[in-house]
Amino acid sequence: MSDLLKMTATEARNSLLKKEISSVELLNAYQNAMEKTEALNNYVTPTLDAAKQMAVNADKAYAQGNAGPLAGLPIGVKDLFCTKDIETTACSAILKGFLPSYESTVTSNIWHSGGVMLGKLNCDEFAMGSSNETSIFGPAVNPWSKIDGIDLSSGGSSGGSASSVAAGSALMSLGTDTGGSIRQPAAFCGVVGLKPTYGRCSRWGIVAFASSLDQAGPFTRTVEDSALIFSVMAGHDPKDSTSASLGYTNFSEAVKSNIEGLRIGIPAEYNVDGMDIEISDLWKKGRAWLEQAGAKIVDINLPHTKYALPCYYIIAPAEASSNLARYDGIRYGKRIEAETLDAMYEATRADGFGEEVQRRILIGTYALSAGYYDAYYLKAQQVRRLIKEDFEKAFNDVDVILTPTTPTPAFPLGAEVSDPITMYLNDVFTVPANLAGLPGISVPAGLSNQGLPLGLQLLAPPFEEGRLFSVANAIEKQAEFLLAPARAAGDLQ
Ligand code: GLN
């Protein structure tokens, strides 16, 4: 059983093609792992009946020789993707009971390629958070060891997506990243997390947080697996006017390409106050690994980096306040009855939204209100342009940028949740890529002194995910990171 859990997606795919294993066997192993790791609170809605049918279909397709690229591979989905007739809550009380009548484009691409849906995964409410603690279902727990007896945060907002892949209860999973929600939990849980270029994957059918920043992306155990699933997720969608008109690309080839002669930028501004020494040491190591692999290291400057976090925390809440206006007690999920229509809106929204979501709506409506719009929202948009231009200039001199993913390793649950500013600081290295629309990947690269995973982040110019995969693969090879969470379903080594 545990042998099946040890396989990467690429290995499982090859064994399925050779008929050494069946999709149903693989699903059974994952079902067992889901039961064993229930305490991690990763799945909010398991969909095992659907999974069974999908696995049977995948086995038929293998027998007939027409199996899609993901056929039989068990995949978990962040509960932010609308899944037809399957409860989709964004981990919010206000969406409890919402059964979408449609399927998001990205998930539909995955099922058409034969992927097997294990269930919906835990996340922060409406993807707002960095620890998965704002979820109505309670936090997803990090499968790596506890500290002083306290469970660690899986990171957020896609905590369940990262934790399940690390714990072996999903072979791969889907998440979304508005300001770091794929890369930060990937780093905390020791898995690979890719945030694609804005416009690369369709946002259609994904519960919107901040529409100019949101992107879907995969969590996997290896870079090779990331390329495998990303090739299926990406692509133009006429239903999303912001999706890029680019055809199918098979990114698996890019993983193996040589990085000799590539120029790797090291931005001075990412040496922020409060960064753990073990993180800056890892950053130096990453630099050395890439040099050994034949890349050239170039020191660069991204002078407006220091404004990225405040800029993000104006733009993201502003867009969120507008996107979340639709939850009015009439069109979706929950309603609290009251005497008048206005009173019903108020009661429904006060009861249905959690504290962090309400905070964002208040910040957002304030920043957009007449009189403050110019001072906050417009200013933030201008700063966003400067941040984007910093990257454009830097990419004249370098091919890829290397930074740490997070300023610290995973923290204990409860440690930061009462202080929003401390929580927001988690995103310091990840938000610039969203503001500039760039692709970014987090690769597990080492362990902290306490034995917790640490990630390195790579950023590339728009639509250069292939380049990210080649460099990420070089880091992965040299880091020899072993996926060994204490609370995994089986021995993943
Ligand atoms: N932690 C960030 C926030 O709370 C990013 C969230 C995300 O990427 N969805 O806004």
Side-chain angles (χ1 to χ4, degrees), residues 78 127-130 156-157 176-181 209 312-313 360 427:
K78 183 180 188 178
M128 297 174 191
S130 303
S157 65
T176 61
D177 190 313
T178 304
S181 281
F209 166 6
Y312 171 86
Y313 276 99
R360 307 273 178 127
D427 309 326

Side-chain angles (χ1 to χ4, degrees), residues 60 75 84 90 104-105 133 139 141 200 207 227-228 241 253 270 276 280 334 338-339 361 373 395 409 430 456 470 488:
K60 268 190 212 145
I75 296 164
K84 189 167 184 299
S104 85
T105 299
E133 287 167 290
V141 175
R200 181 65 102 164
V207 175
L228 173 75
S241 61
E253 286 310 305
Y270 278 64
D276 281 12
S280 51
K334 187 170 193 144
E339 293 283 298
I361 293 174
Y373 181 92
F395 283 125
T430 49
L456 285 173
S470 339

Side-chain angles (χ1 to χ4, degrees), residues 160-174:
S161 306
S163 174
S164 57
V165 172
S169 65
L171 178 51
M172 300 189 280
S173 69
L174 301 182

